[in-house]
Amino acid sequence: MTTATFNLLDEPWIPVRWTPTASPSTGEGRPGRVGLRELLARSSEIAGLAIAEPPANSALLRILYALTARVTGLDEAGPGDWGERRAEVVDAGGLPPQGISDYLSSYHHRFFLYDPEGGRPWMQDARLARQCDSDNTAGVNKLIVTRPSGNNHSWFEHASDTAPDLPTASQAVLNLLVWHYYGPSGRCSSREVGGVKSASATAGPLRTALSYHPEGDTLFETLLAGLVPPQSTVKREQDQCPWEWEDLPDPDAAPAVPAGPCARLTACSQHALLLVPQEPDGQFVRDAFITWAYRGGRIPRDDNFLIWQVSQQGNRYPRPADSGRALWRDLDALLLKESAGAAQPRRPWVFQYAYEVSDYLRVRALGFEQEGQAKDTQFVDASTPPVLEFVERQSARSALPVATLRQLGEMFGRRLDRAVKRAWAQYVDDAKADAGTWAAQAAAGYWPGAETEFWHRFADLDRTGTDFGAGFDASAARAAFLRLATAAYDSVTAPVTRTQRGAKAASDARIELYGGPRKKAPKSPERATEPAPPHRNDAKADHG
């Protein structure tokens, strides 16, 4: 095999997990990796992707959603009712073989990973070989996002720029996709277009964001659940993926606005890349060009798999990935059309339709906690039990108790944080003292138990729709979260309670667990003799 024959439709590069009932492909059993053709054809036998890096998983899912839409004809609203057509695919139990064959045959030539003739390697720009400095490439350590490059610290793994370990083609492709979706803004390799050199890139469309995906028992269910109905005006001839473009875009021109869901899923990258294969077979990649895709302008940021919320300045932005935040704390924002809170979170649009595929869909959260520019902190990967049967459109009676349950859990988490900080400040007699250690210990003691409590009570909610309150006991839930907060508080403050000052500080601050000290409202002249109603000073903070 030569680099000219390494085609991603047929070469095994995607790690997968098979269902227990999947039949062996060969006498050696089920392969650990498959190409795109086998993945689509056997999606009903594949349990899911086995990609270790969450941003690569998230990026590849978007590619697969677009391919699924193409091979099923669900990339356009008609003919007929889109929902009924998707239901027919669900009932068939697999993606249509003829649709797969027709589409992949048409674009087989655009799925080569390398193109030694300078043509159209998949999701790459061959022009970089002449527009960038071949003596100052990015290198494979820059390409692989878990490796340090240059003078950066080693966080995920150790690597050397002088003698880098060459990544496999599979690793290179997955990291190529991470760059397209999560690439940083700021300084990059210089690219010369039209006689002008530039070296500044715009952040990728998913940079810093947390992505939420409906997940079924098989990849087949997952891919169909990830589709949303396109608008009636969308035509596949205009709504193109990068490998379908007749020509590569002009880097000096403003990027085109996506014309539909397939372009929105696959064609919003702000980066341009080119992989350099290790000859002769291209099973490894020895170098990479990484630079900007468009000199100016930015593709409008929009995505059906993000929770969108509003900043204090009124700007719309996606909920950021936070490796310290458990997924259950976002659950009501995934189930409710309008969730409580000043940020006005709106659930990902995909959940408006996902439940129609299966009653037992889970939610998978995938992301990368990072800053807009170079700093990367931690991957985020979490999954819920089956929850999409609780979407508000399906079961409003159960969806609202879920929101209350989440609010109670978070309220006592905030109260616990205030309590330990107040106790520490009083104990050291310094209102500005740093209580970070106590706060971290208290959080570590509270949040895992709160998550367990949440899922326990979530599992007990009535699923029949006959109980107006879904069988939810708010008072019992409140008491349970209070017990967890109290236990965490006592554990953190116990070492100082052996002294009189420590005991008094812990005792005085404990009231924060119950909402803080009550303040009397000012008396009006007309009612000076009447007692003022109590008012909790943290009512606004604890409301949601």
Side-chain angles (χ1 to χ4, degrees):
M1 184 184 69
T2 66
T3 57
T5 62
F6 196 108
N7 194 286
L8 296 171
L9 297 182
D10 306 307
E11 292 292 330
W13 64 278
I14 305 173
V16 296
R17 295 180 293 106
W18 296 90
T19 63
T21 58
S23 59
S25 298
T26 65
E28 299 177 357
R30 297 184 290 266
R33 285 183 170 82
V34 297
L36 284 168
R37 187 188 308 276
E38 185 171 4
L39 181 142
L40 293 174
R42 303 187 66 188
S43 60
S44 60
E45 299 178 78
I46 297 172
L49 303 178
I51 299 173
E53 297 80 13
N57 196 339
S58 167
L60 181 56
L61 276 173
R62 286 169 167 80
I63 299 293
L64 297 179
Y65 293 142
L67 290 174
T68 301
R70 286 286 193 253
V71 303
T72 57
L74 294 171
D75 52 348
E76 291 186 343
D81 181 80
W82 186 90
E84 291 182 359
R85 287 160 52 214
R86 181 170 67 166
E88 291 175 357
V89 179
V90 173
D91 293 340
L95 299 178
Q98 191 62 49
I100 295 173
S101 176
D102 291 346
Y103 182 78
L104 298 189
S105 296
S106 299
Y107 290 98
H108 182 272
H109 61 297
R110 291 287 175 82
F111 281 86
F112 286 105
L113 182 57
Y114 316 110
D115 193 332
E117 302 303 321
R120 293 286 296 278
W122 187 74
M123 297 295 283
Q124 300 166 68
D125 192 333
R127 297 173 297 185
L128 302 188
R130 63 178 186 275
Q131 293 175 347
C132 296
D133 184 358
S134 59
D135 295 325
N136 190 26
T137 59
V140 294
N141 285 347
K142 186 74 171 180
L143 171 69
I144 307 301
V145 295
T146 56
R147 296 184 183 181
S149 61
N151 296 322
N152 294 328
H153 293 292
S154 298
W155 292 112
F156 296 97
E157 60 180 289
H158 294 283
S160 169
D161 283 338
T162 57
D165 291 331
L166 299 187
T168 65
S170 173
Q171 292 173 313
V173 177
L174 292 174
N175 281 271
L176 169 84
L177 293 178
V178 174
W179 271 93
H180 277 309
Y181 289 88
Y182 294 88
S185 62
R187 183 77 182 180
C188 62
S189 295
S190 179
R191 180 183 188 183
E192 183 175 351
V193 178
V196 179
K197 286 188 176 182
S198 302
S200 181
T202 301
L206 299 182
R207 183 79 184 176
T208 77
L210 188 59
S211 184
Y212 302 86
H213 301 264
E215 189 173 64
D217 292 335
T218 65
L219 184 61
F220 170 67
E221 289 184 350
T222 298
L223 295 181
L224 286 177
L227 303 185
V228 297
Q231 295 181 345
S232 59
T233 55
V234 170
K235 302 299 179 185
R236 61 177 62 96
E237 292 78 12
Q238 287 78 43
D239 178 30
Q240 292 190 321
C241 302
W243 56 88
E244 298 170 338
W245 293 338
E246 184 173 348
D247 298 302
L248 291 172
D250 181 1
D252 263 338
V257 177
C262 288
R264 192 176 300 114
L265 285 165
T266 63
C268 292
S269 177
Q270 300 286 160
H271 292 79
L273 295 94
L274 179 63
L275 304 180
V276 181
Q278 176 78 345
E279 300 289 354
D281 58 6
Q283 291 294 334
F284 293 88
V285 170
R286 66 174 177 84
D287 206 350
F289 295 89
I290 304 175
T291 186
W292 52 270
Y294 302 98
R295 199 189 302 275
R298 176 172 182 162
I299 300 171
R301 199 175 190 188
D302 195 12
D303 192 275
N304 291 326
F305 303 88
L306 309 181
I307 293 178
W308 292 94
Q309 48 198 33
V310 179
S311 69
Q312 292 181 346
Q313 293 74 33
N315 299 318
R316 181 173 175 263
Y317 70 101
R319 179 164 292 180
D322 181 353
S323 56
R325 182 182 175 89
L327 180 55
W328 67 269
R329 298 170 65 184
D330 292 334
L331 193 58
D332 60 323
L334 299 173
L335 302 183
L336 300 176
K337 293 179 181 178
E338 297 184 8
S339 183
Q344 305 173 41
R346 295 294 182 271
R347 72 182 179 201
W349 187 242
V350 66
F351 293 120
Q352 180 79 4
Y353 307 96
Y355 72 91
E356 297 173 353
V357 171
S358 170
D359 291 333
Y360 303 101
L361 294 175
R362 303 175 295 277
V363 175
R364 183 83 175 273
L366 301 167
F368 204 168
E369 183 179 346
Q370 53 190 177
E371 293 181 348
Q373 293 189 325
K375 184 178 179 181
D376 294 331
T377 303
Q378 186 59 272
F379 293 144
V380 178
D381 188 347
S383 185
T384 72
V387 296
L388 292 193
E389 61 183 306
F390 287 91
V391 293
E392 186 176 8
R393 181 175 170 182
Q394 283 288 88
S395 181
R397 292 183 179 181
S398 56
L400 295 177
V402 169
T404 304
L405 192 56
R406 191 274 303 171
Q407 291 164 8
L408 286 172
E410 292 211 329
M411 181 182 74
F412 283 103
R414 289 194 301 270
R415 289 183 177 184
L416 172 63
D417 185 70
R418 288 200 300 269
V420 294
K421 289 179 177 178
R422 176 178 167 180
W424 176 257
Q426 185 172 334
Y427 174 64
V428 300
D429 196 20
D430 183 357
K432 297 182 179 180
D434 183 4
T437 301
W438 269 19
Q441 290 177 351
Y446 173 77
W447 288 112
E451 180 172 9
T452 300
E453 186 67 30
F454 175 89
W455 288 120
H456 171 72
R457 295 187 177 275
F458 178 87
D460 287 342
L461 291 177
D462 176 64
R463 287 158 166 75
T464 65
T466 57
D467 188 323
F468 184 79
F472 176 60
D473 188 337
S475 297
R478 183 185 185 91
F481 285 118
L482 175 58
R483 283 194 299 271
L484 291 169
T486 301
Y489 180 80
D490 289 342
S491 176
V492 170
T493 58
V496 304
T497 57
R498 297 181 180 89
T499 66
Q500 184 176 1
R501 186 167 75 176
K504 186 176 188 306
S507 177
D508 289 349
R510 182 183 295 274
I511 196 173
E512 295 291 349
L513 298 175
Y514 300 88
R518 298 175 182 270
K519 292 184 178 180
K520 291 185 178 181
K523 297 180 180 180
S524 62
E526 295 82 1
R527 303 183 61 183
T529 59
E530 298 183 10
H535 173 72
R536 286 209 297 263
N537 63 356
D538 66 343
K540 183 176 180 180
D542 284 343
H543 180 64

